[in-house]
Amino acid sequence: CTYATWNWNGSLVNRINPSNQDIQALFIDTNNRFLLGDMHRNEVYIWPETLPGTMKTLILENSTRPTSIFKNSTSDLYVAHAG
């Protein structure tokens, strides 16, 4: 991408404690929200760009081990799982 730039003040992803999570999926939506899939806990974490300290957690009850995440333009969330 020709116009991509690095955000030197970014701090969203580094708040994850890698000893407790097994992050296998990453998706950034059109509103710059990070969506991360945790295979160990069967959860999806969502961080909004505007409020980085306000993470939301989606618990995946009918799915196991999220390996891929996709969110379409109407905000439908799709999670692929391995198991």
Side-chain angles (χ1 to χ4, degrees), residues 6-15 34 52:
W6 185 260
N7 179 354
W8 291 103
N9 297 316
S11 63
L12 294 175
V13 176
N14 72 353
R15 293 181 184 191
F34 277 67

Side-chain angles (χ1 to χ4, degrees), residues 4 9 13 21 25 38 41 44 46 54-55 79:
N9 297 316
V13 176
Q21 283 90 9
D38 181 343
R41 298 177 185 252
V44 173
I46 302 172
T54 58
M55 178 187 77
V79 179

Side-chain angles (χ1 to χ4, degrees), residues 34-75:
F34 277 67
L35 291 89
L36 300 166
D38 181 343
M39 286 183 66
H40 178 71
R41 298 177 185 252
N42 296 329
E43 296 175 342
V44 173
Y45 308 117
I46 302 172
W47 279 279
E49 178 186 38
T50 55
L51 300 168
T54 58
M55 178 187 77
K56 294 181 181 178
T57 302
L58 302 176
I59 299 171
L60 306 174
E61 295 180 7
N62 296 321
S63 178
T64 58
R65 302 173 52 205
T67 57
S68 182
I69 301 171
F70 177 76
K71 185 176 167 188
N72 67 14
S73 61
T74 59
S75 295

